[in-house]
Amino acid sequence: MDIAVIGSNMVDLITYTNQLPKAGETLEAPDFAIGCGGKGANQAVAAAKMGGSVMMVSKVGDDLFAPNTVVNLQQQGVDTRFVTTAPGTSSGVAPIFVDDESQNRILIIKGANQQLKPADIDAAADALKSCQLIILQLEIPLETVYYAIDFARQHDIKVILNPAPAVADLNIDYACKCDFFMPNETELEILTGMPVTTDEEVKLAGQSLLKRGLKNLIITLGGRGSLWMSGDSVHQVAPTAVKAVDTSGAGDAFIGCFAHELVKSGDIPAAMAQASAYAACSVTGRGTQRSYPDAETFQRFLNVH
Ligand code: RIB
């Protein structure tokens, strides 16, 4: 295996609407779709669809959603030997609201993802040791994330930490042990308490984190592209212009594709450029994983963009 994702899976319940109800009000929404999601699973699927050899360490509930989650991961080419059931729990679910501007608002109910523990990393240790890269997010317990980072350091495996959803009490010392720290602008704002409206503000907020000892900070900025900051150097990748219909899961598409390209070439700017285009391609379709192209479809997209 090249890449391991130690993280979440969720069932995405996506409502397409411009208006959310007030207290006591019932509103009709025009459209709805159900799909496989979760930041961890999305990143695993994006990397696998691009041709990566990917395994997941994850927990599903013991409900009717679980078998479908596992089968979906397998169909997308993800190794599920270490996706196990947490008895007596529901699977993670994510009600998502997407408006006409293609912007998303996401609620998560972590369910079984809360039961992913350090012991699950120990159980997968032999398989994990063969990986070049581990990807982590924050939809599982923080103690498991920290344990995974220490495991990776001990075995000389590279780590990407995507601090999503952002938690203000994230221990930055652990972020500093990672090779890549990859927030979006909203997460950067929560983590630093600094404004991120303009590119200059983003850079100042980024510098405040770098000063605390981060190695590589890659900030995804949605329609404004992405930014890699390390030491004193700043590298900006312009966005690929597309007509977005649903931005849900675009950040995960970026990270999954970036991870695959990084393992392949080790070239960070090239990996960012591919990841940026891959995320752009994903926002032209509805849903999260469902909108991720495979390598062939992505190549066709690149030919015309
Ligand atoms: O990043 C998008 C993802 O966030 C969705 O798939 C949802 O499940 C939540 O985890």
Side-chain angles (χ1 to χ4, degrees), residues 8-14 35-40 42-43 92-96 104 106-108 139 162 164-165 187 247-253 287-289 292:
S8 60
N9 65 81
M10 304 260 172
V11 178
D12 287 346
L13 308 167
I14 311 179
C36 292
K39 296 180 196 303
N42 292 350
Q43 293 168 18
V93 293
I96 300 180
N104 63 78
I106 303 179
L107 279 171
I108 56 165
E139 289 181 330
N162 168 222
E187 288 141 11
T247 55
S248 315
D252 300 328
T288 50
Q289 291 172 32
Y292 297 171

